[in-house]
Amino acid sequence: MAAEENIVIIGKKPVIDYVLATIVLFNEGYDEVIIRGQGSNVSKAVDVYNALVHRLQDSVELVGVSIDSVERGRRLIPVIEIRVRRKIA
């Protein structure tokens, strides 16, 4: 599976690290970034989005939210993908 370069995958780091990673992707020229969290990191992905909106205010907009689950062995793991777009004023 090819990894896309405009995805921020949420892990164990603090929320601000992922906010800054998203801002860096915007500064590198990506107009749209996906914030992806799975399992216990679903709520952290939402926190990253909220912190991003708080930090950038009107410079970012929500494109869409995708909620799904992936099967790992016999368990279903929840997955959320939050698509955000940079607004160009």
Side-chain angles (χ1 to χ4, degrees), residues 20-86:
L20 294 176
T22 305
I23 292 171
V24 166
L25 287 175
F26 284 143
N27 288 338
E28 287 179 354
Y30 292 101
D31 291 327
E32 191 169 299
V33 175
I34 299 169
I35 301 168
R36 186 175 199 271
Q38 63 183 21
S40 61
N41 292 324
V42 167
S43 62
K44 189 183 271 190
V46 174
D47 292 342
V48 169
Y49 168 74
N50 287 330
L52 184 69
V53 168
H54 180 73
R55 186 170 181 123
L56 297 181
Q57 297 173 354
D58 292 336
S59 301
V60 68
E61 67 181 341
L62 178 66
V63 174
V65 176
S66 170
I67 300 171
D68 199 4
S69 59
V70 293
E71 192 170 337
R72 292 241 175 95
R74 295 173 49 186
R75 297 179 61 204
L76 287 176
I77 308 295
V79 177
I80 188 168
E81 289 187 349
I82 305 169
R83 291 176 131 4
V84 292
R85 180 182 303 140
R86 176 176 55 173

Side-chain angles (χ1 to χ4, degrees), residues 8-22:
V8 175
I9 298 175
I10 307 303
K12 296 184 185 229
K13 294 179 183 176
V15 169
I16 192 65
D17 288 358
Y18 299 109
V19 171
L20 294 176
T22 305

